[in-house]
Amino acid sequence: MIEHTVYSLSEIDAVAKLVADDLQGGEVLALVGDLGAGKTTFTQALARALGVTQSVLSPTFALEKQYPTNREFILHHFDWYRLTNSKQVEDLGVVELFGDPASVTVIEWPERARGLLPNTTHWLIFEDVNATTRRITFHT
Ligand SMILES: Nc1ncnc2c1ncn2[C@@H]1O[C@H](COP(=O)(O)OP(=O)(O)OP(=O)(O)O)[C@@H](O)[C@H]1O
Ligand SMILES: [Mg+2]
């Protein structure tokens, strides 16, 4: 298990590629961090690494967006910021995606329904260091 720490925007694509290369389908990536910590920015880089050509916008209002990738799975991008309880999350039908080899699920604000997440969830921690620097910590 290696802990990765990343700081600048210029490193994001390399980090995202590292994560993308490990994905097989069925994974859940939980992105934890304050407003503006870089969760959507990372998801955009992950999508690029998976060959997604459409632009990846924050799903804060849509709650979920889906992107076909150049791999055997669809990338599902959720933002649970506006949800207040795990019932609302269950109603999104997200649990069916967990472990489904045809899906990879990325979740911003996963703490809204931590109890629904599988114990195989990959946790990535985002911290705002200063205006141009973020710290992303995760294990592979
Ligand atoms: N690694 C990074 N280095 C420097 N700046 C970054 C980095 N990642 C993101 N930023 C900048 O931080 C700002 C906010 O990023 P982003 O929208 O990804 O945050 P977020 O965590 O998704 O926030 P929210 O909780 O509101 O969805 C953007 O302007 C982005 O360019
Ligand atoms: Mg975001």
Side-chain angles (χ1 to χ4, degrees):
M1 197 112 116
I2 305 166
E3 183 171 283
H4 299 273
T5 302
V6 182
Y7 293 97
S8 79
L9 210 46
S10 59
E11 291 172 78
I12 279 284
D13 281 305
V15 177
K17 186 173 184 321
L18 208 61
V19 174
D21 286 349
D22 270 356
L23 295 174
Q24 310 206 312
E27 289 88 353
V28 178
L29 306 184
L31 313 188
V32 177
D34 289 339
L35 287 168
K39 303 178 295 295
T40 298
T41 304
F42 169 81
T43 308
Q44 290 164 336
L46 184 68
R48 280 196 292 278
L50 294 170
V52 174
T53 50
Q54 64 194 114
S55 50
V56 172
L57 302 173
S58 176
T60 305
F61 293 97
L63 299 177
E64 182 194 3
K65 293 204 173 151
Q66 302 180 7
Y67 305 93
T69 69
N70 61 12
R71 306 273 293 278
E72 299 297 307
F73 51 78
I74 289 173
L75 180 65
H76 294 261
H77 183 196
F78 287 88
D79 187 332
W80 292 350
Y81 182 71
R82 293 171 61 246
L83 304 180
T84 50
N85 63 65
S86 61
K87 174 73 171 65
Q88 291 175 321
V89 173
E90 275 187 285
D91 289 346
L92 297 174
V94 61
V95 174
E96 293 141 40
L97 302 174
F98 304 161
D100 171 7
S103 304
V104 164
T105 307
V106 174
I107 304 164
E108 299 188 39
W109 296 96
E111 30 307 57
R112 295 286 189 265
R114 195 182 283 269
L116 290 181
L117 298 174
N119 54 19
T120 52
T121 298
H122 301 270
W123 294 88
L124 289 81
I125 312 302
F126 292 74
E127 295 165 280
D128 188 338
V129 178
N130 61 41
T132 56
T133 311
R134 302 292 186 275
R135 184 182 298 119
I136 307 172
T137 311
F138 63 102
H139 296 90
T140 53

